[in-house]
Amino acid sequence: MIEKPHRTIIEPFKIKMVEPLPSCTHNEREKILKEAGYNLFMVAAKHVTFDFLTDSGTSAMSSAQWGAMMIADESYAGSTSFERFQKTVCDLTGYAHVLPTHQGRAAERLLFGVILKPGMKVPSNNHFDTTRANIEQSGAEAIDLVIDEAKDSTSMHPFKGNIDIAKLDSFCAKYQDIIPCGMLTITNNTGGGQPVSLENIRSAAKVYKKYDIPFILDVCRFAENSYLIKMREEGQEDRSVKDIAKETFSLADGCMMSGKKDGLSNIGGFIALKSDKWVSALRSSLILTEGFPTYGGLAARDLEALAVGLKEVLDESYLSYRIATSNYMATRLNKYDIPTMQPAGGHAVYIDAKAFLSHIPQHQFPGQSLVCEMFLAEGIRACEIGSVMFGKTENETFKPAAMELVRLAFPRRVYTQSHFDYVLEGMAEIAKKKKDLRGMRLAWEPPFLRHFTARFEPM
Ligand code: F0G
């Protein structure tokens, strides 16, 4: 650990391999943005200076990960890379069975394909988009039971990812027979990267046990959640993050993981389970769609990178720097009167664009206006999570999203403290002239998932 009392956040690593930071002029970006229909998903990465679109699959890997990739055993069946990967996952989770997949949503599709039938229900704090979509694809229903504080962006509740235990209990009592599994997403991405407390995970586990419902965790960001438990939960401050993570896993019956987040790898995921009840059906489905169960749609070198990443991510110097960055960004943005979802989450900062650009009505997409300005002014790419993504027009009536958020998700180990300071200087300038920002008009939209390809025009 880096010793106090220094205040500067330093990256707990040295840099051995670098790539150039793209940079364009304001005029060039103006042209690029116009050609992209004012949609940042349509902008080529080579034109983006600071890419905060996602923290998924964007990590910088360590020398140990690259080294492990070089000694991978690419045998089709029973490779030693799989053995190393399996041992790492089983040691960490305490589960007996592990099935690799190419990413998180493949794990979701496999598991739900095997256990869900139309009419069934799956409760969670909040399901992530792909989790919900995979549940609905099976004809079942994804139910969100997050605590009420999660819906208030100003609430300082330390664990806004918590599930409402009373609601969960009565839900399970009512639908026990049609709930093939119950879930929790840690941290809660949909709710702003907010952590779930250990106490809440223990209570949820008790409820699921009471109704004999298998408890499956979505553990994409398990290390960040465990670190936030250590920082924020009474009685947990003296435990190691690894110990907290192990207890978290022990409380559930299994987990689904996207290794592209806290696996510190660019691809990969898995399902891990305590019992063998679903394993044989899952293996058959895995062979049919992803690959043989000892590689699951990945190259063995990806399994190696993931196995090393799953250990590195629990390094507390790394986690302390990681969470300090999100905190620093949120605190500084707030200083410039840019409101963010409180408190800062683990992997991202969410700007409240509705409050920040209160002169732009929701049907003119304040979040989209902000992401365009951030790109124009500073080459920053962020993601609108508001009425572009979730709003609808039905019978010519506009139905806005509940919130107009702009997410800055931070790739792991990629940008330095001076990059973040540079971004903040740019954001301070945007805050000064926010009244000049104008709303956006939809020029074209596809029939579904419009945020990826829609085209806009400035008002
Ligand atoms: N669960 C959660 C909580 C996630 O955040 C994601 C992905 C997935 C599952 C699916 O994993 O991408 O490997 O298939 N979240 C990314 C994001 C895409 O940008 O938040 P995947």
Side-chain angles (χ1 to χ4, degrees):
M1 290 283 274
I2 305 298
E3 302 273 342
K4 305 264 183 297
H6 294 283
R7 280 159 168 262
T8 305
I9 299 169
I10 64 165
E11 296 74 23
F13 45 81
K14 297 188 286 180
I15 297 166
K16 172 140 51 185
M17 199 189 285
V18 295
E19 63 181 281
L21 194 66
S23 95
C24 301
T25 63
H26 192 282
N27 282 350
E28 285 166 340
R29 285 198 289 256
E30 218 157 36
K31 188 165 166 276
I32 290 160
L33 194 60
K34 194 170 177 195
E35 279 169 11
Y38 297 88
N39 184 338
L40 274 296
F41 281 101
M42 306 304 278
V43 170
K46 64 176 181 237
H47 299 135
V48 178
T49 307
F50 302 104
D51 206 343
F52 299 148
L53 195 60
T54 180
D55 66 320
S56 180
T58 51
S59 299
M61 291 206 296
S62 66
S63 49
Q65 285 177 292
W66 284 108
M69 287 174 82
M70 295 305 288
I71 55 157
D73 165 11
E74 299 290 350
S75 305
Y76 190 95
S79 80
T80 49
S81 296
F82 175 72
E83 285 174 12
R84 276 191 285 273
F85 165 76
Q86 184 182 39
K87 183 168 182 333
T88 303
V89 175
C90 294
D91 285 351
L92 171 67
T93 60
Y95 305 152
H97 310 279
V98 53
L99 298 106
T101 60
H102 79 270
Q103 65 183 91
R105 67 199 72 182
E108 292 164 356
R109 185 186 51 74
L110 272 174
L111 183 69
F112 297 141
V114 164
I115 69 171
L116 293 188
K117 290 197 178 63
M120 288 180 161
K121 295 180 193 290
V122 182
S124 187
N125 44 355
N126 279 127
H127 293 277
F128 180 67
D129 319 9
T130 60
T131 324
R132 172 177 304 280
N134 274 296
I135 290 171
E136 288 170 358
Q137 177 72 16
S138 309
E141 203 184 339
I143 308 290
D144 289 342
L145 298 174
V146 74
I147 55 169
D148 289 338
E149 287 87 338
K151 295 159 202 161
D152 171 6
S153 71
T154 60
S155 160
M156 288 302 286
H157 192 294
F159 291 102
K160 282 164 87 173
N162 283 359
I163 195 166
D164 187 318
I165 296 296
K167 280 188 196 158
L168 179 66
D169 192 298
S170 48
F171 185 83
C172 292
K174 192 163 173 197
Y175 298 110
Q176 181 176 16
D177 297 339
I178 51 166
I179 306 177
C181 78
M183 293 187 63
L184 267 186
T185 311
I186 63 169
T187 56
N188 188 23
N189 187 6
T190 308
Q194 299 291 335
V196 181
S197 73
L198 192 55
E199 193 254 338
N200 192 255
I201 304 172
R202 287 180 186 143
S203 304
K206 261 189 211 145
V207 173
Y208 287 135
K209 205 177 187 110
K210 175 170 155 195
Y211 295 100
D212 203 18
I213 295 167
F215 177 18
I216 304 296
L217 288 164
D218 175 336
V219 291
C220 295
R221 300 179 180 86
F222 75 96
E224 291 173 7
N225 199 76
S226 303
Y227 184 77
L228 287 164
I229 287 175
K230 181 180 165 102
M231 290 296 111
R232 296 183 187 172
E233 191 163 344
E234 227 185 292
Q236 303 303 323
E237 57 278 3
D238 295 329
R239 292 177 75 181
S240 71
V241 175
K242 186 174 178 184
D243 194 36
I244 295 170
K246 280 181 163 253
E247 181 180 343
T248 301
F249 285 111
S250 77
L251 291 164
D253 300 294
C255 67
M256 290 187 280
M257 170 85 186
S258 165
K260 300 172 73 172
K261 286 85 171 171
D262 275 352
L264 297 177
S265 62
N266 303 125
I267 197 72
F270 60 84
I271 302 174
L273 296 164
K274 260 184 198 163
S275 130
D276 63 1
K277 190 170 146 201
W278 299 326
V279 171
S280 154
L282 284 170
R283 280 217 182 101
S284 303
S285 181
L286 188 71
I287 290 174
L288 195 64
T289 56
E290 291 274 305
F292 195 71
T294 59
Y295 73 85
L298 294 165
R301 55 180 171 271
D302 302 324
L303 292 173
E304 295 276 6
L306 193 45
V308 176
L310 285 169
K311 288 182 187 153
E312 283 182 357
V313 78
L314 289 166
D315 170 27
E316 297 192 17
S317 306
Y318 158 75
L319 284 166
S320 138
Y321 135 86
R322 169 85 177 148
I323 301 300
T325 298
S326 306
N327 249 324
Y328 179 81
M329 291 301 280
T331 314
R332 292 295 156 118
L333 288 170
N334 298 160
K335 248 190 200 154
Y336 305 139
D337 287 329
I338 303 176
T340 57
M341 198 122 139
Q342 299 296 344
H347 67 294
V349 165
Y350 294 67
I351 296 174
D352 182 344
K354 185 158 79 174
F356 180 56
L357 301 178
S358 54
H359 61 290
I360 303 180
Q362 279 184 275
H363 69 274
Q364 293 177 9
F365 309 116
Q368 193 63 23
S369 170
L370 182 57
V371 295
C372 286
E373 180 60 23
M374 284 164 67
F375 176 71
L376 265 184
E378 300 296 329
I380 301 165
R381 174 151 64 177
C383 184
E384 192 266 9
I385 305 185
S387 290
V388 172
M389 202 180 265
F390 298 121
K392 282 187 196 118
T393 302
E394 283 169 357
N395 303 324
E396 289 178 33
T397 310
F398 174 74
K399 294 203 170 133
M403 292 196 260
E404 303 292 341
L405 300 176
V406 167
R407 180 179 86 165
L408 282 71
F410 305 125
R412 292 166 180 78
R413 306 191 292 205
V414 171
Y415 296 107
T416 64
Q417 182 61 18
S418 67
H419 291 141
F420 286 113
D421 281 330
Y422 186 95
V423 164
L424 285 167
E425 283 172 21
M427 293 304 295
E429 290 306 308
I430 293 175
K432 279 187 209 155
K433 52 172 194 195
K434 67 173 187 175
K435 288 283 178 226
D436 298 342
L437 267 63
R438 292 284 158 264
M440 311 291 291
R441 173 187 315 120
L442 253 175
W444 175 83
E445 62 176 308
F448 51 86
L449 292 175
R450 69 176 177 192
H451 57 284
F452 290 123
T453 54
R455 298 184 73 84
F456 300 86
E457 278 162 5
M459 304 287 282

